[in-house]
Amino acid sequence: MKIAIYNARPYDKLYFDRFNRAYHHELHYLDTHLDEETLMLSQGAPAICIFVDDPVDRGLLKKMRAQGTQLIALRSAGFNHVDIPSANELGIAVANVPGYSPYAVAEHATGMILCLIRRLIRAHARIREGNFSLEGLMGFDLYGKTVGIVGTGTIGTVFARIMHGFGCRLLGTDPVESPECRELGLQYVNLPTLCRQSDIISLHCPLLPETQYLIDDEAIAEMRDGICLINTSRGAVVDTAALIRGLKTGKIGFLGLDVYEEEDDLFFEDYSDSVLGDDVFARLLTFNNVLITGHQAYFTREAITNIAKTTLANVTEFETIGECSNQLIAP
Ligand code: NAI
């Protein structure tokens, strides 16, 4: 099947070309984002392949249907950037790549925690300056601390396993309980209790209407002073302005962000020669206890391999039987 792959970066091309030898799809790479103007570049391709920074709303879906698009193949697990109910209604199939590497994201969250609580970036910068003083670098042990996990799905469960290995007490909140987390001794509580009792909180729930700004002023007020908060889920699960207020008062002692609510205008591009126009993001960068990565948590060899293979398999399955097992249906 002809697949128009939008927003294709060199590493996408490398991995898709490598694995397409087994699938024989006709891959048409496009360097641009998908929007109403660039949609015409995919004319004649029944399948369109996009990443998380290509939002698809109802208006665009209608144009896709008029153009003959049959399948939107997401190169991601998250699908909050696509209007799934409208796609279902308009008869355009949408398929994602679930659980392509929960280890990548869970390990990245762990890396952020260690970097922050042991002040590794500050220490590295100091050593490069010839400053070997330990003043201001004191950290704390993870062993024996309470870790709160918001969303104990695929990634949250792997993260729970890792934190269990460090000897942490585990708390979780999720409308659907994970038997594996329970076996690890994780105790399910509501969000306010999790906030009150945790030393570290890591977010692993999807962005849904009910999880938007789940972490707001009220939730932050419940947290322990000096909390270490990590968000590798989606930017809008937290209210960024509330985070800044929490950092200013010291309520938030450490903040690790791999995602940002306005990331579509920033992440995945090189703006090093431009002036940063986002004042909220610029404010976040002024705190020495904030660590930010640009939606990089998923980015491992293993994850990119699985994304390429599963996306190509999704298209093959759709081409063969007119639907595929990773198809997304609105509840
Ligand atoms: P999953 O669907 O396996 O798990 C999500 C869990 O969140 C489910 O158990 C669900 O019941 C739970 N949940 C739903 N509403 C909740 C609520 N109100 N409070 C607490 N928990 C709630 O998804 P998976 O694979 O674990 O991924 C989680 C999220 O991680 C994705 O939706 C995506 O946003 C993000 N992600 C980020 C990546 C990155 O590179 N930073 C890469 C991949 C995923």
Side-chain angles (χ1 to χ4, degrees), residues 148-294:
I149 306 173
V150 178
T152 56
T154 316
I155 296 170
T157 298
V158 173
F159 180 73
R161 226 182 279 153
I162 296 171
M163 291 297 112
H164 182 256
F166 275 100
C168 297
R169 173 185 170 229
L170 303 177
L171 295 179
T173 187
D174 194 314
V176 184
E177 299 192 358
S178 149
E180 188 183 342
C181 284
R182 277 216 171 274
E183 267 175 40
L184 291 171
L186 180 142
Q187 188 191 343
Y188 280 97
V189 292
N190 60 23
L191 183 64
T193 308
L194 182 141
C195 289
R196 277 195 292 276
Q197 294 191 11
S198 300
D199 301 293
I200 292 160
I201 296 175
S202 195
L203 308 178
H204 298 291
C205 60
L207 175 60
L208 304 166
E210 56 274 26
T211 59
Q212 179 156 16
Y213 286 3
L214 192 69
I215 304 301
D216 56 6
D217 284 306
E218 205 183 321
I220 293 168
E222 296 281 0
M223 292 177 191
R224 289 186 171 176
D225 291 343
I227 187 80
C228 174
L229 177 66
I230 306 293
N231 187 12
T232 58
S233 62
R234 283 292 179 266
V237 172
V238 300
D239 174 356
T240 313
L243 292 184
I244 291 172
R245 286 188 284 276
L247 285 161
K248 282 165 81 176
T249 61
K251 185 73 166 172
I252 299 177
F254 306 92
L255 177 66
L257 298 177
D258 184 54
V259 285
Y260 172 59
E261 41 179 331
E262 303 300 333
E263 69 179 52
D264 286 357
D265 296 332
L266 286 175
F267 288 4
F268 307 116
E269 305 295 338
D270 180 0
Y271 292 118
S272 52
D273 281 335
S274 319
V275 173
L276 178 59
D278 184 328
D279 291 348
V280 175
F281 194 79
R283 183 68 177 103
L284 281 173
L285 294 177
T286 65
F287 297 98
N288 66 10
N289 51 352
V290 174
L291 174 63
I292 305 179
T293 51

Side-chain angles (χ1 to χ4, degrees), residues 54-81:
D54 292 307
V56 178
D57 61 13
R58 189 176 174 82
L60 188 54
L61 284 162
K62 280 185 173 169
K63 292 199 166 148
M64 282 182 174
R65 189 175 66 166
Q67 184 179 287
T69 306
Q70 297 171 25
L71 171 69
I72 303 173
L74 307 180
R75 306 198 291 282
S76 60
F79 48 84
N80 54 284
H81 53 300

